PDB file of all heavy atoms in Angstrom:
ATOM      1  N   ASP A  64     -19.108  13.502 -10.110  1.00 98.00           N
ATOM      2  CA  ASP A  64     -18.161  14.211  -9.222  1.00 98.00           C
ATOM      3  C   ASP A  64     -17.657  13.094  -8.187  1.00 98.00           C
ATOM      4  O   ASP A  64     -18.295  12.939  -7.236  1.00 98.00           O
ATOM      5  CB  ASP A  64     -18.826  15.366  -8.492  1.00 98.00           C
ATOM      6  CG  ASP A  64     -17.730  16.247  -7.674  1.00 98.00           C
ATOM      7  OD1 ASP A  64     -16.626  15.723  -7.590  1.00 98.00           O
ATOM      8  OD2 ASP A  64     -18.063  17.235  -7.023  1.00 98.00           O
ATOM      9  N   LEU A  65     -16.539  12.592  -8.519  1.00 98.00           N
ATOM     10  CA  LEU A  65     -15.855  11.570  -7.674  1.00 98.00           C
ATOM     11  C   LEU A  65     -14.574  12.174  -7.020  1.00 98.00           C
ATOM     12  O   LEU A  65     -13.694  11.310  -6.726  1.00 98.00           O
ATOM     13  CB  LEU A  65     -15.657  10.266  -8.456  1.00 98.00           C
ATOM     14  CG  LEU A  65     -16.800   9.703  -9.158  1.00 98.00           C
ATOM     15  CD1 LEU A  65     -16.352   8.475  -9.963  1.00 98.00           C
ATOM     16  CD2 LEU A  65     -17.887   9.245  -8.218  1.00 98.00           C
ATOM     17  N   SER A  66     -14.537  13.415  -6.786  1.00 97.00           N
ATOM     18  CA  SER A  66     -13.346  14.125  -6.289  1.00 97.00           C
ATOM     19  C   SER A  66     -12.998  13.493  -5.005  1.00 97.00           C
ATOM     20  O   SER A  66     -13.785  13.262  -4.094  1.00 97.00           O
ATOM     21  CB  SER A  66     -13.542  15.567  -6.037  1.00 97.00           C
ATOM     22  OG  SER A  66     -13.998  16.221  -7.202  1.00 97.00           O
ATOM     23  N   ARG A  67     -11.650  13.151  -4.876  1.00 97.00           N
ATOM     24  CA  ARG A  67     -10.948  12.602  -3.677  1.00 97.00           C
ATOM     25  C   ARG A  67     -11.487  11.206  -3.237  1.00 97.00           C
ATOM     26  O   ARG A  67     -11.157  10.763  -2.166  1.00 97.00           O
ATOM     27  CB  ARG A  67     -11.084  13.589  -2.438  1.00 97.00           C
ATOM     28  CG  ARG A  67     -10.670  15.011  -2.903  1.00 97.00           C
ATOM     29  CD  ARG A  67     -10.418  15.866  -1.646  1.00 97.00           C
ATOM     30  NE  ARG A  67      -9.379  15.354  -0.871  1.00 97.00           N
ATOM     31  CZ  ARG A  67      -8.053  15.649  -1.161  1.00 97.00           C
ATOM     32  NH1 ARG A  67      -7.719  16.322  -2.219  1.00 97.00           N
ATOM     33  NH2 ARG A  67      -7.080  15.247  -0.318  1.00 97.00           N
ATOM     34  N   TRP A  68     -12.106  10.530  -4.191  1.00 97.00           N
ATOM     35  CA  TRP A  68     -12.433   9.136  -3.970  1.00 97.00           C
ATOM     36  C   TRP A  68     -11.153   8.286  -4.007  1.00 97.00           C
ATOM     37  O   TRP A  68     -10.266   8.673  -4.796  1.00 97.00           O
ATOM     38  CB  TRP A  68     -13.599   8.647  -4.855  1.00 97.00           C
ATOM     39  CG  TRP A  68     -14.892   9.020  -4.536  1.00 97.00           C
ATOM     40  CD1 TRP A  68     -15.315  10.346  -4.083  1.00 97.00           C
ATOM     41  CD2 TRP A  68     -16.090   8.345  -4.740  1.00 97.00           C
ATOM     42  NE1 TRP A  68     -16.573  10.381  -4.001  1.00 97.00           N
ATOM     43  CE2 TRP A  68     -17.152   9.137  -4.381  1.00 97.00           C
ATOM     44  CE3 TRP A  68     -16.357   6.998  -5.136  1.00 97.00           C
ATOM     45  CZ2 TRP A  68     -18.532   8.700  -4.422  1.00 97.00           C
ATOM     46  CZ3 TRP A  68     -17.727   6.463  -5.232  1.00 97.00           C
ATOM     47  CH2 TRP A  68     -18.763   7.351  -4.800  1.00 97.00           C
ATOM     48  N   SER A  69     -11.249   7.055  -3.360  1.00 97.00           N
ATOM     49  CA  SER A  69     -10.064   6.153  -3.543  1.00 97.00           C
ATOM     50  C   SER A  69     -10.648   4.722  -4.109  1.00 97.00           C
ATOM     51  O   SER A  69     -11.568   4.316  -3.607  1.00 97.00           O
ATOM     52  CB  SER A  69      -9.391   5.939  -2.189  1.00 97.00           C
ATOM     53  OG  SER A  69      -8.876   7.223  -1.674  1.00 97.00           O
ATOM     54  N   PHE A  70      -9.773   4.328  -5.039  1.00 98.00           N
ATOM     55  CA  PHE A  70     -10.249   2.926  -5.633  1.00 98.00           C
ATOM     56  C   PHE A  70      -9.041   2.028  -5.531  1.00 98.00           C
ATOM     57  O   PHE A  70      -7.921   2.371  -5.932  1.00 98.00           O
ATOM     58  CB  PHE A  70     -10.503   3.175  -7.049  1.00 98.00           C
ATOM     59  CG  PHE A  70     -11.616   4.174  -7.300  1.00 98.00           C
ATOM     60  CD1 PHE A  70     -11.401   5.529  -7.712  1.00 98.00           C
ATOM     61  CD2 PHE A  70     -12.916   3.824  -7.226  1.00 98.00           C
ATOM     62  CE1 PHE A  70     -12.346   6.430  -7.879  1.00 98.00           C
ATOM     63  CE2 PHE A  70     -14.032   4.711  -7.421  1.00 98.00           C
ATOM     64  CZ  PHE A  70     -13.697   6.045  -7.827  1.00 98.00           C
ATOM     65  N   GLU A  71      -9.329   0.793  -4.985  1.00 97.00           N
ATOM     66  CA  GLU A  71      -8.189  -0.119  -4.764  1.00 97.00           C
ATOM     67  C   GLU A  71      -8.589  -1.524  -5.477  1.00 97.00           C
ATOM     68  O   GLU A  71      -9.646  -1.987  -5.140  1.00 97.00           O
ATOM     69  CB  GLU A  71      -7.795  -0.328  -3.311  1.00 97.00           C
ATOM     70  CG  GLU A  71      -6.759  -1.232  -3.111  1.00 97.00           C
ATOM     71  CD  GLU A  71      -6.114  -1.153  -1.750  1.00 97.00           C
ATOM     72  OE1 GLU A  71      -6.493  -0.358  -1.043  1.00 97.00           O
ATOM     73  OE2 GLU A  71      -5.323  -2.120  -1.330  1.00 97.00           O
ATOM     74  N   ARG A  72      -7.822  -1.978  -6.395  1.00 98.00           N
ATOM     75  CA  ARG A  72      -7.983  -3.237  -7.091  1.00 98.00           C
ATOM     76  C   ARG A  72      -9.365  -3.337  -7.718  1.00 98.00           C
ATOM     77  O   ARG A  72     -10.011  -4.457  -7.647  1.00 98.00           O
ATOM     78  CB  ARG A  72      -7.790  -4.389  -6.110  1.00 98.00           C
ATOM     79  CG  ARG A  72      -6.450  -4.481  -5.528  1.00 98.00           C
ATOM     80  CD  ARG A  72      -6.225  -5.686  -4.607  1.00 98.00           C
ATOM     81  NE  ARG A  72      -7.155  -5.780  -3.552  1.00 98.00           N
ATOM     82  CZ  ARG A  72      -7.098  -5.049  -2.407  1.00 98.00           C
ATOM     83  NH1 ARG A  72      -6.064  -4.296  -2.211  1.00 98.00           N
ATOM     84  NH2 ARG A  72      -8.034  -5.116  -1.496  1.00 98.00           N
ATOM     85  N   CYS A  73      -9.859  -2.279  -8.356  1.00 98.00           N
ATOM     86  CA  CYS A  73     -11.082  -2.228  -8.967  1.00 98.00           C
ATOM     87  C   CYS A  73     -11.010  -2.516 -10.459  1.00 98.00           C
ATOM     88  O   CYS A  73      -9.831  -2.151 -11.067  1.00 98.00           O
ATOM     89  CB  CYS A  73     -11.928  -0.950  -8.787  1.00 98.00           C
ATOM     90  SG  CYS A  73     -12.381  -0.728  -6.953  1.00 98.00           S
ATOM     91  N   ASN A  74     -12.090  -2.925 -11.102  1.00 98.00           N
ATOM     92  CA  ASN A  74     -12.036  -3.153 -12.558  1.00 98.00           C
ATOM     93  C   ASN A  74     -12.805  -2.103 -13.194  1.00 98.00           C
ATOM     94  O   ASN A  74     -14.033  -2.017 -13.002  1.00 98.00           O
ATOM     95  CB  ASN A  74     -12.544  -4.568 -12.869  1.00 98.00           C
ATOM     96  CG  ASN A  74     -12.666  -4.874 -14.377  1.00 98.00           C
ATOM     97  OD1 ASN A  74     -12.061  -4.214 -15.097  1.00 98.00           O
ATOM     98  ND2 ASN A  74     -13.613  -5.775 -14.691  1.00 98.00           N
ATOM     99  N   PHE A  75     -12.102  -1.227 -14.069  1.00 98.00           N
ATOM    100  CA  PHE A  75     -12.718  -0.138 -14.773  1.00 98.00           C
ATOM    101  C   PHE A  75     -12.595  -0.450 -16.244  1.00 98.00           C
ATOM    102  O   PHE A  75     -12.756   0.481 -17.149  1.00 98.00           O
ATOM    103  CB  PHE A  75     -12.087   1.137 -14.456  1.00 98.00           C
ATOM    104  CG  PHE A  75     -12.429   1.716 -13.125  1.00 98.00           C
ATOM    105  CD1 PHE A  75     -11.708   1.363 -12.049  1.00 98.00           C
ATOM    106  CD2 PHE A  75     -13.616   2.505 -12.999  1.00 98.00           C
ATOM    107  CE1 PHE A  75     -12.056   1.889 -10.747  1.00 98.00           C
ATOM    108  CE2 PHE A  75     -13.956   3.043 -11.702  1.00 98.00           C
ATOM    109  CZ  PHE A  75     -13.045   2.703 -10.574  1.00 98.00           C
ATOM    110  N   ARG A  76     -12.433  -1.665 -16.632  1.00 98.00           N
ATOM    111  CA  ARG A  76     -12.182  -2.084 -18.094  1.00 98.00           C
ATOM    112  C   ARG A  76     -13.453  -1.531 -18.949  1.00 98.00           C
ATOM    113  O   ARG A  76     -14.656  -1.738 -18.663  1.00 98.00           O
ATOM    114  CB  ARG A  76     -12.119  -3.536 -18.270  1.00 98.00           C
ATOM    115  CG  ARG A  76     -11.747  -3.908 -19.683  1.00 98.00           C
ATOM    116  CD  ARG A  76     -11.334  -5.425 -19.815  1.00 98.00           C
ATOM    117  NE  ARG A  76     -10.933  -5.794 -21.000  1.00 98.00           N
ATOM    118  CZ  ARG A  76     -11.601  -6.073 -22.068  1.00 98.00           C
ATOM    119  NH1 ARG A  76     -12.938  -6.085 -22.058  1.00 98.00           N
ATOM    120  NH2 ARG A  76     -11.017  -6.416 -23.261  1.00 98.00           N
ATOM    121  N   ARG A  77     -13.065  -0.651 -20.034  1.00 98.00           N
ATOM    122  CA  ARG A  77     -14.017  -0.083 -20.933  1.00 98.00           C
ATOM    123  C   ARG A  77     -15.143   0.770 -20.164  1.00 98.00           C
ATOM    124  O   ARG A  77     -16.093   1.060 -20.639  1.00 98.00           O
ATOM    125  CB  ARG A  77     -14.714  -1.140 -21.689  1.00 98.00           C
ATOM    126  CG  ARG A  77     -13.727  -1.930 -22.671  1.00 98.00           C
ATOM    127  CD  ARG A  77     -14.517  -2.870 -23.604  1.00 98.00           C
ATOM    128  NE  ARG A  77     -13.545  -3.606 -24.505  1.00 98.00           N
ATOM    129  CZ  ARG A  77     -12.927  -3.110 -25.663  1.00 98.00           C
ATOM    130  NH1 ARG A  77     -13.201  -1.897 -26.012  1.00 98.00           N
ATOM    131  NH2 ARG A  77     -12.150  -3.829 -26.330  1.00 98.00           N
ATOM    132  N   SER A  78     -14.821   1.324 -18.941  1.00 98.00           N
ATOM    133  CA  SER A  78     -15.767   2.093 -18.314  1.00 98.00           C
ATOM    134  C   SER A  78     -15.703   3.558 -18.902  1.00 98.00           C
ATOM    135  O   SER A  78     -14.640   3.891 -19.521  1.00 98.00           O
ATOM    136  CB  SER A  78     -15.557   2.174 -16.872  1.00 98.00           C
ATOM    137  OG  SER A  78     -14.231   2.705 -16.581  1.00 98.00           O
ATOM    138  N   ASN A  79     -16.769   4.319 -18.710  1.00 98.00           N
ATOM    139  CA  ASN A  79     -16.772   5.728 -19.328  1.00 98.00           C
ATOM    140  C   ASN A  79     -16.732   6.714 -18.091  1.00 98.00           C
ATOM    141  O   ASN A  79     -17.746   6.786 -17.335  1.00 98.00           O
ATOM    142  CB  ASN A  79     -18.088   5.900 -20.080  1.00 98.00           C
ATOM    143  CG  ASN A  79     -18.186   7.277 -20.768  1.00 98.00           C
ATOM    144  OD1 ASN A  79     -17.303   8.099 -20.651  1.00 98.00           O
ATOM    145  ND2 ASN A  79     -19.335   7.570 -21.352  1.00 98.00           N
ATOM    146  N   LEU A  80     -15.555   7.269 -18.016  1.00 98.00           N
ATOM    147  CA  LEU A  80     -15.400   8.355 -16.985  1.00 98.00           C
ATOM    148  C   LEU A  80     -15.151   9.821 -17.578  1.00 98.00           C
ATOM    149  O   LEU A  80     -14.657  10.657 -17.078  1.00 98.00           O
ATOM    150  CB  LEU A  80     -14.146   7.986 -16.158  1.00 98.00           C
ATOM    151  CG  LEU A  80     -14.331   6.775 -15.225  1.00 98.00           C
ATOM    152  CD1 LEU A  80     -13.104   5.933 -15.242  1.00 98.00           C
ATOM    153  CD2 LEU A  80     -14.691   7.118 -13.886  1.00 98.00           C
TER     154      LEU A  80
END
Side-chain angles (χ1 to χ4, degrees):
D64 185 352
L65 305 175
S66 302
R67 306 195 68 79
W68 283 39
S69 296
F70 303 97
E71 184 167 349
R72 298 184 303 277
C73 293
N74 176 21
F75 285 92
R76 189 173 186 274
R77 295 188 182 278
S78 61
N79 182 3
L80 291 141

